[in-house]
Amino acid sequence: MLLHHGVVPNTQLSRLLRVDHAWDDQQLAWHPRVDAWGQTSLAGFWIVGDGASIAGAIAAEASGRIAAFGAAHAMQRLSDHERDRLAAPELRALTRQRRIRPFLDALYRPPTWINTPADDTIVCRCEEVSAGRVREMARLGCEGPNQTKFLSRCGMGPCQGRQCGIVVSQLLAQALSRTPAEIGAYRIRAPLKPVPLSSIANLNTPAGKEPPP
Ligand SMILES: Cc1cc2nc3c(=O)[nH]c(=O)nc-3n(C[C@H](O)[C@H](O)[C@H](O)COP(=O)(O)OP(=O)(O)OC[C@H]3O[C@@H](n4cnc5c(N)ncnc54)[C@H](O)[C@@H]3O)c2cc1C
């Protein structure tokens, strides 16, 4: 059986591209900063749906269409007027869907113990680093998640911190009496997911040819 206390945006890709992120203190998660059209701080890179902020399936669809109109406008395929006219019903749908969020986020805010677990709880499952070890690193002068990598390999396993990142930031924030926004998050390194050498070797294999041994 699996239990969960909310879902969070997957920010691996947006962090890899070094776009601006903000800490959401209601959903206890990072999200990329986007404008009304889904445009991030990196020109030409748009994020919508759960990747931008958790708001449900219908909101994700509407935000996808809004970003498409925004992108078409940025590529000068739509005038200001056409973009705004096409996006208007989607923006209304999005606003309607988001109206419930303050209530849901307050009612279902993850409890504190979820993200600041007891010392013997393993937080980095890839490298088997416990919450107690993270707190110990904070006592030893570790100031942020990227130093936990150096001191313990925490967040350096195959998942690249996707599982433990949010918890490690919050553990350090609590131990150092700072906010997660001040503590920051892991810097992400490629590849985002483990890639077998054969996949890389086959990248340049022409169609119909055998890949190299
Ligand atoms: C258990 C659960 C229950 C839910 N119940 C509801 C509900 O009742 N009502 C509701 O409105 N919403 C619900 N949601 C939320 C809803 O599913 C999401 O809001 C919605 O799916 C978000 O759409 P999306 O397109 O942003 O992301 P997704 O639907 O997650 O789509 C992202 C896609 O990107 C793909 N992808 C990821 N990484 C890569 C990569 N590196 N390369 C290529 N592709 C990649 C994924 O495989 C996926 O297909 C629920 C979610 C969960 C987990």
PDB file of all heavy atoms in Angstrom, residues 117-131:
ATOM      1  N   PRO A 117      11.544  14.201   9.483  1.00  0.00           N
ATOM      2  CA  PRO A 117      11.315  12.932  10.191  1.00  0.00           C
ATOM      3  C   PRO A 117      12.336  12.675  11.304  1.00  0.00           C
ATOM      4  O   PRO A 117      13.316  13.412  11.446  1.00  0.00           O
ATOM      5  CB  PRO A 117      11.466  11.892   9.075  1.00  0.00           C
ATOM      6  CG  PRO A 117      12.319  12.535   8.047  1.00  0.00           C
ATOM      7  CD  PRO A 117      12.091  14.004   8.131  1.00  0.00           C
ATOM      8  N   ALA A 118      12.074  11.591  12.057  1.00  0.00           N
ATOM      9  CA  ALA A 118      12.953  11.205  13.171  1.00  0.00           C
ATOM     10  C   ALA A 118      14.346  10.842  12.642  1.00  0.00           C
ATOM     11  O   ALA A 118      14.513  10.483  11.467  1.00  0.00           O
ATOM     12  CB  ALA A 118      12.345  10.008  13.905  1.00  0.00           C
ATOM     13  N   ASP A 119      15.334  10.925  13.545  1.00  0.00           N
ATOM     14  CA  ASP A 119      16.745  10.744  13.158  1.00  0.00           C
ATOM     15  C   ASP A 119      17.018   9.429  12.414  1.00  0.00           C
ATOM     16  O   ASP A 119      17.850   9.383  11.520  1.00  0.00           O
ATOM     17  CB  ASP A 119      17.640  10.801  14.409  1.00  0.00           C
ATOM     18  CG  ASP A 119      17.962  12.235  14.786  1.00  0.00           C
ATOM     19  OD1 ASP A 119      17.620  13.150  14.009  1.00  0.00           O
ATOM     20  OD2 ASP A 119      18.542  12.427  15.869  1.00  0.00           O
ATOM     21  N   ASP A 120      16.327   8.353  12.799  1.00  0.00           N
ATOM     22  CA  ASP A 120      16.670   7.066  12.194  1.00  0.00           C
ATOM     23  C   ASP A 120      15.963   6.823  10.851  1.00  0.00           C
ATOM     24  O   ASP A 120      16.132   5.770  10.238  1.00  0.00           O
ATOM     25  CB  ASP A 120      16.394   5.909  13.174  1.00  0.00           C
ATOM     26  CG  ASP A 120      14.939   5.867  13.604  1.00  0.00           C
ATOM     27  OD1 ASP A 120      14.188   6.799  13.260  1.00  0.00           O
ATOM     28  OD2 ASP A 120      14.551   4.900  14.289  1.00  0.00           O
ATOM     29  N   THR A 121      15.203   7.779  10.379  1.00  0.00           N
ATOM     30  CA  THR A 121      14.519   7.616   9.082  1.00  0.00           C
ATOM     31  C   THR A 121      15.508   7.858   7.946  1.00  0.00           C
ATOM     32  O   THR A 121      16.228   8.857   7.931  1.00  0.00           O
ATOM     33  CB  THR A 121      13.359   8.628   8.955  1.00  0.00           C
ATOM     34  OG1 THR A 121      12.511   8.480  10.079  1.00  0.00           O
ATOM     35  CG2 THR A 121      12.575   8.415   7.677  1.00  0.00           C
ATOM     36  N   ILE A 122      15.520   6.920   7.000  1.00  0.00           N
ATOM     37  CA  ILE A 122      16.367   7.099   5.810  1.00  0.00           C
ATOM     38  C   ILE A 122      15.701   8.145   4.912  1.00  0.00           C
ATOM     39  O   ILE A 122      14.545   7.974   4.523  1.00  0.00           O
ATOM     40  CB  ILE A 122      16.517   5.773   5.023  1.00  0.00           C
ATOM     41  CG1 ILE A 122      17.196   4.703   5.874  1.00  0.00           C
ATOM     42  CG2 ILE A 122      17.249   5.988   3.700  1.00  0.00           C
ATOM     43  CD1 ILE A 122      18.686   4.881   6.035  1.00  0.00           C
ATOM     44  N   VAL A 123      16.391   9.212   4.596  1.00  0.00           N
ATOM     45  CA  VAL A 123      15.804  10.219   3.698  1.00  0.00           C
ATOM     46  C   VAL A 123      16.357  10.082   2.274  1.00  0.00           C
ATOM     47  O   VAL A 123      15.613  10.209   1.309  1.00  0.00           O
ATOM     48  CB  VAL A 123      15.981  11.668   4.223  1.00  0.00           C
ATOM     49  CG1 VAL A 123      15.174  11.878   5.483  1.00  0.00           C
ATOM     50  CG2 VAL A 123      17.421  12.032   4.455  1.00  0.00           C
ATOM     51  N   CYS A 124      17.661   9.843   2.143  1.00  0.00           N
ATOM     52  CA  CYS A 124      18.222   9.585   0.813  1.00  0.00           C
ATOM     53  C   CYS A 124      18.318   8.080   0.662  1.00  0.00           C
ATOM     54  O   CYS A 124      19.221   7.446   1.203  1.00  0.00           O
ATOM     55  CB  CYS A 124      19.604  10.230   0.673  1.00  0.00           C
ATOM     56  SG  CYS A 124      20.469   9.743  -0.833  1.00  0.00           S
ATOM     57  N   ARG A 125      17.326   7.543  -0.065  1.00  0.00           N
ATOM     58  CA  ARG A 125      17.275   6.074  -0.169  1.00  0.00           C
ATOM     59  C   ARG A 125      18.387   5.541  -1.061  1.00  0.00           C
ATOM     60  O   ARG A 125      18.865   4.438  -0.873  1.00  0.00           O
ATOM     61  CB  ARG A 125      15.908   5.637  -0.692  1.00  0.00           C
ATOM     62  CG  ARG A 125      14.850   5.711   0.384  1.00  0.00           C
ATOM     63  CD  ARG A 125      13.536   5.212  -0.119  1.00  0.00           C
ATOM     64  NE  ARG A 125      12.774   6.285  -0.719  1.00  0.00           N
ATOM     65  CZ  ARG A 125      11.712   6.098  -1.497  1.00  0.00           C
ATOM     66  NH1 ARG A 125      11.325   4.885  -1.792  1.00  0.00           N
ATOM     67  NH2 ARG A 125      11.064   7.116  -1.985  1.00  0.00           N
ATOM     68  N   CYS A 126      18.790   6.316  -2.060  1.00  0.00           N
ATOM     69  CA  CYS A 126      19.842   5.839  -2.972  1.00  0.00           C
ATOM     70  C   CYS A 126      21.156   5.616  -2.228  1.00  0.00           C
ATOM     71  O   CYS A 126      21.859   4.633  -2.457  1.00  0.00           O
ATOM     72  CB  CYS A 126      20.068   6.846  -4.085  1.00  0.00           C
ATOM     73  SG  CYS A 126      18.628   7.203  -5.089  1.00  0.00           S
ATOM     74  N   GLU A 127      21.502   6.551  -1.337  1.00  0.00           N
ATOM     75  CA  GLU A 127      22.793   6.485  -0.645  1.00  0.00           C
ATOM     76  C   GLU A 127      22.632   6.135   0.828  1.00  0.00           C
ATOM     77  O   GLU A 127      23.600   6.192   1.591  1.00  0.00           O
ATOM     78  CB  GLU A 127      23.536   7.827  -0.792  1.00  0.00           C
ATOM     79  CG  GLU A 127      23.834   8.219  -2.229  1.00  0.00           C
ATOM     80  CD  GLU A 127      24.859   7.316  -2.904  1.00  0.00           C
ATOM     81  OE1 GLU A 127      25.669   6.696  -2.194  1.00  0.00           O
ATOM     82  OE2 GLU A 127      24.837   7.227  -4.144  1.00  0.00           O
ATOM     83  N   GLU A 128      21.395   5.820   1.237  1.00  0.00           N
ATOM     84  CA  GLU A 128      21.084   5.407   2.617  1.00  0.00           C
ATOM     85  C   GLU A 128      21.601   6.418   3.647  1.00  0.00           C
ATOM     86  O   GLU A 128      22.346   6.067   4.574  1.00  0.00           O
ATOM     87  CB  GLU A 128      21.633   4.003   2.896  1.00  0.00           C
ATOM     88  CG  GLU A 128      20.973   2.962   2.009  1.00  0.00           C
ATOM     89  CD  GLU A 128      21.269   1.543   2.444  1.00  0.00           C
ATOM     90  OE1 GLU A 128      22.026   1.356   3.400  1.00  0.00           O
ATOM     91  OE2 GLU A 128      20.717   0.636   1.811  1.00  0.00           O
ATOM     92  N   VAL A 129      21.200   7.663   3.467  1.00  0.00           N
ATOM     93  CA  VAL A 129      21.578   8.708   4.430  1.00  0.00           C
ATOM     94  C   VAL A 129      20.342   9.030   5.279  1.00  0.00           C
ATOM     95  O   VAL A 129      19.260   9.276   4.746  1.00  0.00           O
ATOM     96  CB  VAL A 129      22.067   9.988   3.706  1.00  0.00           C
ATOM     97  CG1 VAL A 129      22.462  11.066   4.719  1.00  0.00           C
ATOM     98  CG2 VAL A 129      23.241   9.657   2.792  1.00  0.00           C
ATOM     99  N   SER A 130      20.530   8.989   6.600  1.00  0.00           N
ATOM    100  CA  SER A 130      19.388   9.195   7.501  1.00  0.00           C
ATOM    101  C   SER A 130      19.176  10.683   7.798  1.00  0.00           C
ATOM    102  O   SER A 130      20.070  11.517   7.587  1.00  0.00           O
ATOM    103  CB  SER A 130      19.632   8.451   8.813  1.00  0.00           C
ATOM    104  OG  SER A 130      20.705   9.067   9.501  1.00  0.00           O
ATOM    105  N   ALA A 131      17.981  10.968   8.361  1.00  0.00           N
ATOM    106  CA  ALA A 131      17.686  12.349   8.778  1.00  0.00           C
ATOM    107  C   ALA A 131      18.678  12.786   9.853  1.00  0.00           C
ATOM    108  O   ALA A 131      19.119  13.948   9.860  1.00  0.00           O
ATOM    109  CB  ALA A 131      16.257  12.436   9.302  1.00  0.00           C
TER     110      ALA A 131
END
